[in-house]
Amino acid sequence: MEVIHSIADLRSRIKDYRRKNDQSVGFVPTMGYLHEGHASLLRKARAQSGLVVLSIFVNPLQFGPGEDFERYPRNTERDLQLAEAAGVDLVFMPSVSEMYPSPTRTTVSVTGLTSRLCGASRPGHFDGVATVVSKLFHIVQPDQAFFGLKDAQQVAVIEQMVQDLNLGIEIVPCPILREADGLAMSSRNVYLSEEERKEALVLSQSLQKAKAFVESHTAFTPQELESLVSQHIATSSLAIIDYVEVLAYPTLEPFKNSHHTHSIIIALAVKFGKTRLIDNLILQVGK
Amino acid sequence: MEVIHSIADLRSRIKDYRRKNDQSVGFVPTMGYLHEGHASLLRKARAQSGLVVLSIFVNPLQFGPGEDFERYPRNTERDLQLAEAAGVDLVFMPSVSEMYPSPTRTTVSVTGLTSRLCGASRPGHFDGVATVVSKLFHIVQPDQAFFGLKDAQQVAVIEQMVQDLNLGIEIVPCPILREADGLAMSSRNVYLSEEERKEALVLSQSLQKAKAFVESHTAFTPQELESLVSQHIATSSLAIIDYVEVLAYPTLEPFKNSHHTHSIIIALAVKFGKTRLIDNLILQVGK
């Protein structure tokens, strides 16, 4: 495994690989502080691709003012161990000045998909995501890129961008990984106090309740599911709901009744103290 | 020379070339109705690149409401003759539905550089340009792309986009070509009536006057040059000035005095009847 800091070095390393091999290049972009969720993406890339490229870059562009860019957790040594164990070939770890040598004047924006959920709570967030992912895609030029469905809206935004801009990259969405007790894995879980960590279980529990409800009802409105989820989350005195929304998936459009869609996402963002957690469940509905 | 209409075919044709050759791919994106200006780009590409790709696509996204998208001149047969004579290998001629199978939700925007000149007169124009050029760049993946300096602001916007988004493509700006009497070559010149065509000479003449002024003065303000150019254009009774602006180049920022910059652009857009023509001159100033 090779660790590379400069864009030029990475480009020439990948070009060299392409010249000598006919196999595909798989790419896993991350912000580091890797956990088993990331490891599952890397293992999937290892299984599908000839060359596995991991990027670790905490992208300032996708953090709003007052968000946790400065304190976002970092642990390079542990990240590299995990990457090596997962079979990564190249780790790209650029500095902020390598990625943004001067203030960027160019923005990639995806409309529609970004108006709700985290797009509404975090203005500019998905512009930052789309812009940095398009930069990374241009640098790595992968055949496949692997993204976790915990950020389901991000996956939808990236898929739309790839289609609209003819990036010619296969986006591989990968299932959410959870701790044994159900909490969705996240680099931000490390922020939680012991008590917050315990109460944060209401998130995955509320999604399971919603799932049981969907399975036992032939028809329902998004509002019914949203109430059910919100009410369960409210049983935690520490939870402050940012949003609980039920939308059609992958369009992320509202729908009136479960008869009107085939696939839904139950998505939530909830704060425990200063820590904002997200989780979601994608379900097939109908008949 | 091969004419290709589908994105998938073009991709596979270029991939195939890359596999078998180590030479560069040169790209000339156009809206067709080719003239000697385009031919000069194609000849430059032919001299510098192993594979020369020309695209002909009138991009609806970069035309505003009431602009000339519908009536933009087209002549495929003549275009293909000119392309063949210039040594083009692949001509990419996609339909609008091939490029935009569904309404695009993704926009590439370059701020700053697009606030003045044609960016101010044609809101959304450079978003349309940046978006379609990034699509074409993703499809063709050229090593070099050739652009005419008649659209100097477009060149600056594309260079900024390439740098900001790490596209890794060399942008080769090429000089304006002019008719024998000085009129800058443009596909839109065909719109001009005989009288308008004659009067349109004030544009290049006014730039030559400005050049003489710059060469004979050690210091000047942009306003002095702008007045000189505007006054000469006003000698044509048919000319309706959209803008005459003198800015630093390539930043396209205003400057107070010629001492404050090294390179300037004198840029103008003028309507003759329904036809909007642009022209410009880039000059080194100061010692």
Side-chain angles (χ1 to χ4, degrees):
Chain A
M1 188 175 80
E2 203 177 326
V3 180
I4 296 173
H5 297 279
S6 102
I7 293 170
D9 287 352
L10 184 67
R11 276 194 205 279
S12 87
R13 198 56 196 72
I14 292 172
K15 199 173 176 185
D16 195 49
Y17 178 85
R18 293 266 189 206
R19 219 191 321 258
K20 293 176 188 160
N21 294 272
D22 222 24
Q23 284 173 278
S24 65
V25 174
F27 178 43
V28 181
T30 77
M31 300 210 298
Y33 211 73
L34 305 179
H35 52 65
E36 264 304 299
H38 299 106
S40 75
L41 305 181
L42 294 170
R43 285 192 295 263
K44 197 157 201 165
R46 181 70 286 162
Q48 294 192 17
S49 315
L51 185 79
V52 176
V53 182
L54 161 70
S55 70
I56 298 178
F57 179 61
V58 184
N59 171 38
L61 230 60
Q62 70 194 68
F63 289 81
E67 288 187 2
D68 57 347
F69 172 65
E70 289 300 339
R71 65 184 189 108
Y72 196 84
R74 288 156 169 94
N75 188 335
T76 303
E77 202 182 325
R78 214 186 53 190
D79 285 352
L80 295 180
Q81 281 169 11
L82 184 147
E84 182 121 51
V88 169
D89 297 303
L90 302 178
V91 184
F92 179 47
M93 293 185 58
S95 64
V96 170
S97 66
E98 179 73 3
M99 287 296 282
Y100 302 108
S102 54
T104 180
R105 290 178 159 188
T106 308
T107 305
V108 181
S109 323
V110 180
T111 54
L113 289 167
T114 55
S115 61
R116 296 188 180 83
L117 309 178
C118 291
S121 312
R122 305 180 69 187
H125 170 66
F126 285 114
D127 284 1
V129 169
T131 303
V132 80
V133 171
S134 86
K135 284 165 69 75
L136 290 167
F137 280 178
H138 294 146
I139 295 166
V140 177
Q141 297 188 20
D143 299 287
Q144 300 99 31
F146 301 80
F147 289 86
L149 277 168
K150 185 158 87 51
D151 301 298
Q153 189 175 16
Q154 173 174 279
V155 172
V157 167
I158 301 296
E159 281 178 336
Q160 185 74 42
M161 175 183 84
V162 165
Q163 182 190 311
D164 285 344
L165 296 185
N166 306 96
L167 277 153
I169 297 167
E170 183 200 355
I171 302 302
V172 184
C174 304
I176 298 177
L177 257 71
R178 297 181 179 280
E179 304 290 351
D181 61 5
L183 182 71
M185 288 187 186
S186 165
S187 306
R188 289 186 170 102
N189 290 348
V190 71
Y191 294 149
L192 298 169
S193 71
E194 206 178 320
E195 201 188 351
E196 289 166 348
R197 171 68 183 77
K198 216 177 285 171
E199 299 226 347
L201 286 186
V202 293
L203 305 185
S204 53
Q205 286 165 356
S206 72
L207 294 174
Q208 285 310 309
K209 284 204 160 207
K211 189 179 181 216
F213 183 90
V214 166
E215 285 167 352
S216 61
H217 288 72
T218 49
F220 56 87
T221 66
Q223 289 72 35
E224 285 176 283
L225 275 188
E226 287 167 6
S227 305
L228 188 155
V229 169
S230 299
Q231 279 164 24
H232 185 77
I233 294 171
T235 63
S236 156
S237 59
L238 299 179
I240 298 161
I241 292 176
D242 179 356
Y243 64 75
V244 171
E245 269 189 271
V246 177
L247 299 169
Y249 187 85
T251 60
L252 304 184
E253 295 286 348
F255 61 95
K256 284 199 171 159
N257 184 291
S258 57
H259 285 318
H260 298 129
T261 185
H262 299 288
S263 182
I264 65 167
I265 183 166
I266 310 162
L268 55 84
V270 175
K271 280 189 123 179
F272 291 87
K274 282 185 177 173
T275 307
R276 183 176 174 280
L277 300 180
I278 59 173
D279 200 350
N280 72 76
L281 193 64
I282 295 168
L283 292 172
Q284 305 305 311
V285 295
K287 272 139 302 200
Chain B
M1 189 176 81
E2 201 176 329
V3 179
I4 296 172
H5 298 279
S6 103
I7 293 171
D9 287 351
L10 184 66
R11 277 194 203 280
S12 87
R13 197 58 197 72
I14 291 172
K15 200 176 176 182
D16 194 50
Y17 179 84
R18 292 265 189 209
R19 217 192 322 259
K20 293 176 187 159
N21 295 273
D22 221 25
Q23 284 174 279
S24 65
V25 173
F27 179 42
V28 181
T30 77
M31 300 211 298
Y33 212 74
L34 305 178
H35 51 66
E36 264 305 299
H38 299 106
S40 75
L41 305 181
L42 294 170
R43 284 192 294 264
K44 198 158 200 167
R46 180 69 284 160
Q48 293 192 18
S49 314
L51 185 79
V52 176
V53 183
L54 161 70
S55 70
I56 298 178
F57 179 61
V58 184
N59 171 38
L61 231 60
Q62 72 194 67
F63 289 81
E67 288 187 2
D68 58 348
F69 171 65
E70 289 301 338
R71 63 183 190 110
Y72 196 85
R74 289 155 169 94
N75 188 335
T76 303
E77 202 182 325
R78 213 185 54 191
D79 285 352
L80 295 180
Q81 282 169 11
L82 184 147
E84 182 121 49
V88 169
D89 297 302
L90 302 179
V91 183
F92 179 48
M93 293 186 58
S95 64
V96 170
S97 66
E98 179 72 5
M99 287 296 281
Y100 303 108
S102 54
T104 181
R105 290 177 159 187
T106 307
T107 305
V108 181
S109 321
V110 179
T111 54
L113 289 167
T114 56
S115 62
R116 296 190 180 82
L117 308 178
C118 290
S121 311
R122 305 180 69 187
H125 169 67
F126 285 114
D127 284 1
V129 169
T131 303
V132 80
V133 170
S134 85
K135 284 165 70 73
L136 290 167
F137 280 178
H138 294 147
I139 295 166
V140 177
Q141 298 188 20
D143 299 286
Q144 300 100 29
F146 301 80
F147 289 86
L149 277 168
K150 184 157 87 55
D151 301 297
Q153 188 174 19
Q154 173 174 279
V155 173
V157 167
I158 300 295
E159 281 177 336
Q160 184 74 42
M161 175 183 83
V162 165
Q163 180 189 313
D164 285 344
L165 296 186
N166 306 97
L167 277 154
I169 296 167
E170 183 199 355
I171 301 303
V172 185
C174 304
I176 298 176
L177 257 73
R178 298 182 179 279
E179 305 290 351
D181 60 6
L183 183 69
M185 289 187 187
S186 165
S187 307
R188 289 186 171 100
N189 290 348
V190 72
Y191 295 149
L192 298 169
S193 71
E194 206 177 320
E195 202 188 348
E196 288 166 348
R197 171 67 184 79
K198 216 177 285 172
E199 298 226 348
L201 285 185
V202 292
L203 305 186
S204 53
Q205 287 165 356
S206 72
L207 294 174
Q208 285 309 311
K209 284 205 162 205
K211 188 177 180 215
F213 183 90
V214 167
E215 285 168 351
S216 61
H217 288 72
T218 50
F220 56 86
T221 66
Q223 289 72 34
E224 285 177 282
L225 275 189
E226 286 167 5
S227 306
L228 188 154
V229 170
S230 299
Q231 279 165 23
H232 185 77
I233 293 171
T235 63
S236 157
S237 59
L238 299 178
I240 299 161
I241 292 177
D242 178 357
Y243 64 75
V244 171
E245 269 188 90
V246 177
L247 299 170
Y249 187 84
T251 60
L252 304 186
E253 296 285 349
F255 62 94
K256 284 200 171 160
N257 184 291
S258 57
H259 285 318
H260 298 130
T261 185
H262 299 288
S263 182
I264 65 168
I265 184 167
I266 309 163
L268 56 85
V270 176
K271 278 188 124 180
F272 291 86
K274 282 185 178 176
T275 307
R276 183 176 175 279
L277 300 179
I278 59 173
D279 200 350
N280 72 77
L281 193 65
I282 295 168
L283 293 172
Q284 305 305 311
V285 295
K287 268 124 291 199

